[in-house]
Amino acid sequence: MSLFTRGVVGVTSWPPIERLITSTSAGQALARRFVAGDTRAEATDVARRLNQDRLLVSLDLMGEAVTDPDGVARATDEYLKCLEMIPSEGLEANISVKLTQLGLAFDPALAAQSLDRLATTAREAGTSVTVDMEDSRYTQATVDLYADAQARHGNLGVCLQAYLYRTPADLERILPLGGHIRLCKGAYVESPEVAHQGSDEVDAAFARLLMVLMEFEEVRPAIATHDPRLIDLTLDLAGRRSGDYEFQMLYGVRPDEQQRLRGFGHDLRVYLPFGSAWYPYLTRRMAERPANVAFFLRALVK
């Protein structure tokens, strides 16, 4: 991970910087580039517009590391309402959930129970649930809970992060379970003991995993990257594949490329976050590109 990324993550963790970003119109304007809004209704409006542009959607209620049962109940209820809304609004969408939002950090059994409820409701709604991956403290538990739920429900998917050393073994374990597998580079600051650090190493790890994933016809690969070289590699591998697959990109990131790929007939799903707990998500977007930091500073000066 680059020094710039580590620097931005470090600086934005300071409480005065968080207050500066969350309390100013400049910070809120930057957030709206990457976040649909604070409410489910706002997310619905954006999802409908994306669907009209022939883009699929994955709805993500922002928030993680919930530490109390009431917080888990609120998050689960909001996701259940999203799942009810998807067929009633005729949306081409699924949901993405973080297991610490469902209680994994303090009660794994509660997280498993909540995930079961979401998977059951998603099946009734004709859609699926993607289990997001968080920092490496939770990787083993996330893979375990996903594998158990997918074996029983069959309509889930999971995200794997290419920069973790353990990911090839995780991929080998979950490939036979079917469903969909989202492959991304990884967005958390991890130590050299658990993750590749240099961008070239991460890209190489992503490419190796991608080649394995695209060869397995029984799963739906979801290739989550904005990297032109990895997009080109995916297109090359897709030409040898008979099963379906999709690209995934973040809301507000490379919208022209999203339309280009969709225009050539490739399924593309937009990861669409919403909710009031947007600050951690925004800091990861700022850490990815200096241009996002520059946008904030220009808006702040104005």
Side-chain angles (χ1 to χ4, degrees), residues 11 15 44-46 54 85 107 112 116 161 163 168 242 257 275:
V11 169
T44 301
D45 289 342
V46 176
R54 301 181 299 156
M85 172 267 295
D107 190 345
D116 276 342
Q161 301 180 108
Y163 67 171
S242 61
E257 180 66 2

Side-chain angles (χ1 to χ4, degrees), residues 150-226:
Q150 172 64 3
R152 286 183 290 107
H153 296 281
N155 65 326
L156 292 92
V158 68
C159 176
L160 294 180
Q161 301 180 108
Y163 67 171
L164 294 180
Y165 301 142
R166 60 170 292 156
T167 299
D170 289 333
L171 179 60
E172 182 179 3
R173 175 185 175 186
I174 65 177
L175 274 173
L177 298 174
H180 59 275
I181 298 177
R182 174 196 290 160
L183 179 63
C184 70
K185 290 186 179 183
Y188 295 86
V189 176
E190 299 286 1
S191 73
E193 285 72 30
V194 299
H196 298 289
Q197 301 297 302
S199 60
D200 290 343
E201 294 177 348
V202 175
D203 289 353
F206 190 108
R208 290 191 296 270
L209 293 162
L210 176 61
M211 287 186 280
V212 174
L213 179 57
M214 292 293 281
E215 288 179 357
F216 203 86
E217 298 286 350
E218 289 75 17
V219 300
R220 179 181 174 93
I223 313 307
T225 184
H226 308 93

Side-chain angles (χ1 to χ4, degrees), residues 50-130:
L50 291 169
N51 281 175
Q52 290 170 350
D53 290 335
R54 301 181 299 156
L55 299 169
L56 306 171
V57 168
S58 191
L59 292 163
D60 168 54
L61 173 65
M62 288 181 294
E64 51 194 274
V66 174
T67 58
D68 64 282
D70 289 342
V72 171
R74 288 192 296 271
T76 303
D77 183 63
E78 184 68 15
Y79 273 121
L80 290 170
K81 290 177 180 177
C82 283
L83 290 169
E84 294 166 0
M85 172 267 295
I86 285 171
S88 67
E89 295 289 337
L91 297 179
E92 292 287 339
N94 65 10
I95 62 170
S96 292
V97 303
K98 290 180 172 61
L99 292 187
T100 64
Q101 198 175 25
L102 303 183
L104 180 62
F106 71 96
D107 190 345
L110 177 60
Q113 179 184 13
S114 301
L115 185 59
D116 276 342
R117 291 183 64 194
L118 296 180
T120 299
T121 304
R123 177 172 292 281
E124 295 168 353
T127 188
S128 61
V129 178
T130 301

